[in-house]
Amino acid sequence: MSVAESTKQFAPAGTWAADPVHSNVSFEVVYSGVNAFRGSFTDFAATLEGSNLEGSAKVASVDVKDEQLNGHLQTPDFFDAERYPEISFKATELHRNDDNTVEGSGELTIKGVTQPITLTGQIAAAPATDPFGRERLGLRLETEIDRTNYGVSWNAPNQSGGDYLANDVKLIAELAFVKAEA
């Protein structure tokens, strides 16, 4: 069955908010041509209602396990946190396939530049109830972007050839949603 033919509801009824303790919003970029360098945003929010998904991350919360590099990522070389304190996302279309894989599209805004993106991922087959009686629903989404399309274009030549940072960046959102009480 194609995505267009699937009639499976994307998310159960209600409003779901990401639990920041059990969720993660991260990125990966090839560094020095030899490995994937990873970082994350520790201050973010996301809500899901039906197939409407919106989220944002505070640029000041970027964490790459090095305070000096965290500071450099705040500058105009990268995210320019002073002028653009938030990264935002809004889904324009989300489909749950029969095997609970997800395909969709949306708009991502970084440094005031909004670009369309495509998404793939996985959603939990059904909500689960945690030990405190709250309903939870897991959703993992991925996309790949060219960071230079958003004005994140700093680089330096690698002594072995090429540049230190790849332009392609993988974005990953692993979201544990909690259903809002009615």
Side-chain angles (χ1 to χ4, degrees):
M1 178 178 289
S2 74
V3 172
E5 295 169 339
S6 179
T7 58
K8 194 167 198 168
Q9 181 180 1
F10 187 78
T15 300
W16 300 80
D19 169 1
V21 172
H22 297 99
S23 300
N24 186 44
V25 174
S26 61
F27 59 89
E28 298 178 356
V29 60
V30 173
Y31 174 76
S32 197
V34 296
N35 71 304
F37 176 77
R38 293 175 177 85
S40 63
F41 294 92
T42 59
D43 186 358
F44 60 88
T47 57
L48 175 65
E49 190 168 348
S51 61
N52 297 319
L53 174 65
E54 293 187 30
S56 63
K58 301 289 184 196
V59 171
S61 76
V62 69
D63 183 20
V64 294
K65 300 180 184 176
D66 180 282
E67 286 305 313
Q68 185 175 351
L69 184 51
N70 285 344
H72 189 202
L73 291 172
Q74 304 297 316
T75 71
D77 284 346
F78 288 95
F79 294 116
D80 198 356
E82 189 173 311
R83 289 181 53 205
Y84 306 101
E86 195 168 84
I87 295 170
S88 63
F89 168 77
K90 181 175 182 172
T92 54
E93 190 172 17
L94 288 174
H95 296 282
R96 174 195 284 234
N97 299 316
D98 289 337
D99 63 355
N100 297 313
T101 58
V102 174
E103 298 175 35
S105 57
E107 294 181 338
L108 178 67
T109 302
I110 301 174
K111 288 181 81 169
V113 177
T114 302
Q115 296 279 329
I117 60 171
T118 58
L119 303 161
T120 59
Q122 187 81 25
I123 190 167
T129 303
D130 70 17
F132 307 102
R134 298 174 296 198
E135 284 188 88
R136 293 182 166 271
L137 182 68
L139 174 63
R140 178 185 168 92
L141 295 172
E142 293 184 9
T143 191
E144 193 166 295
I145 63 166
D146 180 336
R147 65 189 177 88
T148 64
N149 290 339
Y150 296 89
V152 182
S153 53
W154 180 92
N155 224 327
N158 187 344
Q159 293 177 358
S160 300
D163 289 325
Y164 274 114
L165 293 177
N167 291 338
D168 293 334
V169 178
K170 181 188 280 190
L171 304 177
I172 304 130
E174 297 176 283
L175 304 170
F177 286 102
V178 177
K179 187 174 184 178
E181 295 183 20

